[in-house]
Amino acid sequence: MSITKEHCAKGKSSTTRVSQHFCQSLGGTCVNVGCIPKKLMHQAALLGQALIDSRKFGWEYSHQVKHNWETMTEAIQNHVGSLNWGYRQALREKAVAYVNSYAEFVEHHKIKATNGKGQETYYTAAKFVIATGERPRYLGIQGDKEYCITSDDLFSLPYCPGATLVVGASYVALECAGFLAGLGLAVTVMVRSVLLRGFDQEMAERVGASLQQLGVRFLRKFVPVEVQQLEKGSPGRLKVVAKSTEGAETVEGVYNTVLLAVGRDSSARNIGLEKIGVRVSEKTGRIPVNDVEQTSVPYVYAVGDILEGRPALTPVAVQAGKLLARRLFGGRLEKCDYVNVPTVVFTPLEYGCCGYSEEKAAQVYQKESLEVYHTLFWPVEWTVACRDNNTCYAKIICNKFDNDRVIGFHILGPNAGEITQGFAAAMKCGLTKQLLDDTIGIHPTCGEVFTTLEVTKSAGLDVAQKGC
Ligand code: NAP
């Protein structure tokens, strides 16, 4: 992530990008240790499933199929490298000076940038944009920093992680658990409380069930208290002691790798914000901003995961940054709209959503005003492959007192990411149940299920699919 410095020289304005951590290449978490390598490992897992399905479609192969972790990571890291290079070129083309240094404010309008050799350079600017993001959190238990890895390590791990314990139960945890299981590894997920906190809990449980079908084991209501190394190696062997969150029970397990996915800490601390009075939330470490991404110090702006109360998603940061630049230097006024931001959990069976969960909708609206339409569905590609006919699920939440407006959209199914993107645009246009009914489906697709939703949850009718 970056701190951007803008300065004017001889009437010509220019922009300097100072990266906060010289250990991470251009593109931040998403490109280097997040969305991009994650989506490619997700694809590797999907190809494994496709191989299994392919036999039903007549493909015959006699040689043993196995996955090579090193080949995959090398190819993915090469792609990430090409993106880094591309960003560098793009900055050059736009005459943006790139400074690979650690930045911190030293006084108003002035930062110190320290490069990898310890050389310090000072920059002054009229305006600053902070986009320093977040870093994976550790647990603070015995053995975690010594023996556990985080998502920052996984995508470039030089060896196959083997039997893996994933600690945590949100996006990062379930996505990593999903692709590791899809690659054929034994995966256990240790869940402190619920799956996918903040998401629709019915959908979260369905995501969990789809992972269980893949062989992922869940250890619910446990937290690790100690990690011991039993054997060194690549991977080695680790013993994890965990205790119940509901009683005195403890369990022990042996794994090759322990992946911590227990959330991320904001990188707002240690960049000298206190020296210039930028307010940082005591509780979250994130930076509160107003509706034009301005911090408590008017010449300092912030975008991205570091913002308090905004979705920590790359496209949100990109949109907010683009609009901020236009407002600051392009004479435009448009503000970033943080409502109805679509998102997808890239578990092998993807979960896409936009708008409210059932729980949140029930808090915001009167229960009587809500109608939920839902169905299980069976993708046509899954029929011949004889995959489960009651795993994929679609649901919309409508506000009856507002023309049956769709206020929540949820899908668990193949390519949910691609599907959700289009429906998110429709929700921006004020999608209603009637508009969905008036839309002609594309047959046979998964997305068409939303044009034929008939059963309401309140009716309590069976939505199970028959067949196979
Ligand atoms: P997160 O959403 O903050 O979730 C942290 C998880 O770790 C929760 O399940 C939490 O359980 C658990 N946890 C926290 N402390 C724990 C402890 N001491 N012991 C055991 N479990 C513990 O973090 P994240 O999954 O790392 O995601 C970070 C951000 O990245 C998210 O805001 C998301 O927007 C973004 N992201 C997006 C995508 C995507 O767009 N596909 C993918 C990955 C990440 P509790 O529920 O009990 O608190």
Side-chain angles (χ1 to χ4, degrees):
M1 291 298 192
S2 67
I3 291 180
T4 305
K5 173 203 165 228
E6 185 272 338
H7 62 94
C8 288
K10 292 182 185 158
K12 200 174 158 211
S13 106
S14 70
T15 302
T16 303
R17 185 194 184 287
V18 186
S19 68
Q20 198 218 344
H21 299 271
F22 25 78
C23 54
Q24 204 169 85
S25 300
L26 278 171
T29 297
C30 172
V31 169
N32 296 288
V33 286
C35 328
I36 299 295
K38 177 274 302 289
K39 182 84 190 288
L40 292 168
M41 291 198 177
H42 169 63
Q43 173 65 6
L46 294 184
L47 289 170
Q49 179 65 54
L51 273 168
I52 297 165
D53 290 355
S54 71
R55 287 191 191 274
K56 295 266 189 211
F57 286 90
W59 288 99
E60 292 171 4
Y61 42 88
S62 50
H63 55 279
Q64 202 204 336
V65 177
K66 61 183 176 78
H67 183 259
N68 186 313
W69 176 272
E70 291 79 4
T71 305
M72 174 186 71
T73 42
E74 191 186 331
I76 291 175
Q77 289 306 317
N78 286 343
H79 177 64
V80 168
S82 75
L83 293 176
N84 299 150
W85 190 83
Y87 289 132
R88 213 170 169 148
Q89 285 296 105
L91 288 177
R92 202 168 291 154
E93 278 161 25
K94 297 279 179 194
V96 176
Y98 169 51
V99 180
N100 189 210
S101 294
Y102 186 95
E104 57 190 308
F105 282 96
V106 286
E107 61 186 73
H108 274 290
H109 293 282
K110 189 170 184 179
I111 58 168
K112 177 172 82 178
T114 311
N115 71 12
K117 294 179 189 144
Q119 288 162 340
E120 296 173 356
T121 310
Y122 291 85
Y123 295 86
T124 57
K127 295 182 177 68
F128 289 80
V129 179
I130 302 169
T132 48
E134 297 184 311
R135 289 288 151 123
R137 185 179 297 153
Y138 282 84
L139 287 166
I141 60 168
Q142 202 179 329
D144 70 342
K145 282 221 165 115
E146 295 93 318
Y147 307 126
C148 302
I149 63 166
T150 70
S151 53
D152 271 8
D153 310 302
L154 181 66
F155 302 112
S156 53
L157 200 67
Y159 54 84
C160 177
T164 302
L165 172 69
V166 178
V167 184
S170 204
Y171 271 105
V172 174
L174 298 192
E175 290 180 342
C176 293
F179 68 68
L180 292 175
L183 296 178
L185 305 182
V187 178
T188 304
V189 178
M190 191 177 288
V191 184
R192 176 169 70 174
S193 57
V194 294
L195 302 183
L196 295 172
R197 174 184 297 287
F199 283 88
D200 187 289
Q201 281 301 294
E202 180 194 19
M203 298 306 296
E205 283 303 317
R206 289 183 183 278
V207 171
S210 76
L211 287 170
Q212 261 170 316
Q213 278 177 21
L214 255 181
V216 174
R217 190 177 146 247
F218 284 92
L219 201 49
R220 292 198 182 222
K221 304 275 167 77
F222 275 92
V223 287
V225 288
E226 189 182 348
V227 181
Q228 294 168 18
Q229 189 177 55
L230 299 177
E231 219 176 88
K232 283 188 178 170
S234 306
R237 278 173 73 238
L238 301 169
K239 183 169 103 177
V240 178
V241 183
K243 78 168 178 34
S244 164
T245 58
E246 297 181 318
E249 193 190 347
T250 59
V251 290
E252 289 181 5
V254 175
Y255 308 92
N256 297 117
T257 297
V258 178
L259 172 69
L260 300 181
V262 291
R264 300 169 62 82
D265 286 325
S266 137
S267 310
R269 306 201 203 274
N270 310 323
I271 55 171
L273 293 178
E274 69 291 346
K275 294 204 180 102
I276 56 163
V278 171
R279 200 161 79 76
V280 176
S281 160
E282 283 269 320
K283 194 169 159 225
T284 62
R286 300 202 174 98
I287 302 175
V289 290
N290 62 14
D291 64 348
V292 287
E293 284 79 31
Q294 195 172 33
T295 69
S296 57
V297 173
Y299 69 86
V300 179
Y301 298 82
V303 293
D305 294 4
I306 201 154
L307 295 191
E308 173 84 345
R310 304 277 158 83
L313 300 167
T314 301
V316 173
V318 170
Q319 177 81 342
K322 192 171 73 184
L323 295 178
L324 173 63
R326 286 181 188 163
R327 285 195 307 274
L328 291 180
F329 304 110
R332 301 275 287 268
L333 296 170
E334 295 94 329
K335 297 173 187 171
C336 186
D337 180 3
Y338 292 95
V339 175
N340 282 344
V341 172
T343 187
V344 168
V345 181
F346 285 99
T347 34
L349 194 58
E350 298 175 8
Y351 164 40
C353 61
C354 185
Y356 290 118
S357 61
E358 275 197 69
E359 293 84 355
K360 188 74 188 167
Q363 277 172 20
V364 174
Y365 300 91
Q366 308 272 24
K367 204 160 188 311
E368 318 72 82
S369 61
L370 301 177
E371 191 71 272
V372 177
Y373 294 84
H374 70 150
T375 190
L376 287 155
F377 65 95
W378 198 22
V380 75
E381 300 84 348
W382 283 30
T383 55
V384 167
C386 258
R387 290 174 64 186
D388 190 76
N389 51 6
N390 282 304
T391 297
C392 299
Y393 183 71
K395 159 165 106 175
I396 56 168
I397 306 161
C398 300
N399 182 0
K400 285 194 276 189
F401 299 156
D402 181 19
N403 204 20
D404 261 331
R405 194 164 309 286
V406 179
I407 57 168
F409 172 96
H410 302 267
I411 178 165
L412 176 69
N415 306 307
E418 305 299 337
I419 295 166
T420 306
Q421 185 68 81
F423 283 102
M427 283 176 73
K428 272 243 167 285
C429 304
L431 183 67
T432 61
K433 175 70 169 70
Q434 188 61 52
L435 283 168
L436 279 175
D437 294 346
D438 294 345
T439 303
I440 295 174
I442 302 168
H443 190 66
T445 63
C446 293
E448 71 173 322
V449 73
F450 288 99
T451 65
T452 56
L453 285 172
E454 280 173 359
V455 179
T456 61
K457 264 197 172 175
S458 53
L461 298 175
D462 185 17
V463 289
Q465 305 293 301
K466 314 276 179 295
C468 214

